[in-house]
């Protein structure tokens, strides 16, 4: 493993329900085309909270949500983004702290590729 960075929301006492947001601006997406958002994520610790992904043109509901890790390993998520006449101009990762006193929510290796998501 080389040096690198990832975004993390740590779980410290006294900050439950804190929110962290990372907004990535997308430019030059073509209308009426497909894209795949791929990222690594990790939810470590008991009652660690939730990680959600929102697309700018679908404000109300997250397009992806995870609230518990089966284990504390890094996992990969893939989200299909279909462009209509209006294109998505941003993706927001939102983490909501849970009631846990230890643990961490992390996001890393965010990639956007054109076309459908590849099969594993």
């Amino acid at each position: 493993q080389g040096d690198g960075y990832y975004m993390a929301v740590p779980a410290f006492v006294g900050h439950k329900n804190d929110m962290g947001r990372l907004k990535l601006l997308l430019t030059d997406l073509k209308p009426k085309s497909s894209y795949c958002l791929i990222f690594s994520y990790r939810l470590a610790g008991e009652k660690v909270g939730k990680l959600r992904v929102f697309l700018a043109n679908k404000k109300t509901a997250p397009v992806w949500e995870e609230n518990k890790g089966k284990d504390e390993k890094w996992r990969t998520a893939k989200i299909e983004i279909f462009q209509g006449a209006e294109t998505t101009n941003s993706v927001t990762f939102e983490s909501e702290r849970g009631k846990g006193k230890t643990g961490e929510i992390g996001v890393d290796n965010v990639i956007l590729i054109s076309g459908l998501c590849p099969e594993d």
Side-chain angles (χ1 to χ4, degrees), residues 11-57:
F12 293 123
V13 182
H15 294 279
K16 77 171 195 252
N17 298 341
D18 274 4
M19 294 284 225
R21 285 191 187 90
L22 173 67
K23 185 172 185 176
L24 302 177
L25 298 177
L26 306 177
T27 54
D28 304 327
L29 293 195
K30 294 182 180 62
K32 300 188 176 158
S33 51
S34 305
Y35 292 87
C36 181
L37 179 71
I38 304 172
F39 60 94
S40 301
Y41 69 95
R42 176 173 174 254
L43 287 99
E46 198 181 337
K47 298 181 186 158
V48 67
K50 289 182 179 159
L51 176 63
R52 301 182 188 98
V53 178
F54 293 88
L55 297 179
N57 56 359

Side-chain angles (χ1 to χ4, degrees), residues 31-110:
K32 300 188 176 158
S33 51
S34 305
Y35 292 87
C36 181
L37 179 71
I38 304 172
F39 60 94
S40 301
Y41 69 95
R42 176 173 174 254
L43 287 99
E46 198 181 337
K47 298 181 186 158
V48 67
K50 289 182 179 159
L51 176 63
R52 301 182 188 98
V53 178
F54 293 88
L55 297 179
N57 56 359
K58 300 182 175 54
K59 288 186 176 60
T60 48
V63 293
W64 183 92
E65 182 173 53
E66 188 68 70
N67 62 9
K68 186 162 104 251
K70 295 180 188 63
D71 49 42
E72 307 207 337
K73 293 191 178 103
W74 284 91
R75 302 198 168 278
T76 300
K78 297 176 187 174
I79 301 171
E80 302 271 5
I81 301 176
F82 297 106
Q83 300 300 312
E86 289 180 31
T87 59
T88 303
N89 60 11
S90 70
V91 170
T92 302
F93 292 89
E94 180 183 274
S95 57
E96 180 182 347
R97 286 257 350 253
K99 295 186 173 65
K101 293 184 173 56
T102 60
E104 183 179 271
I105 298 171
V107 173
D108 198 3
N109 299 334
V110 180

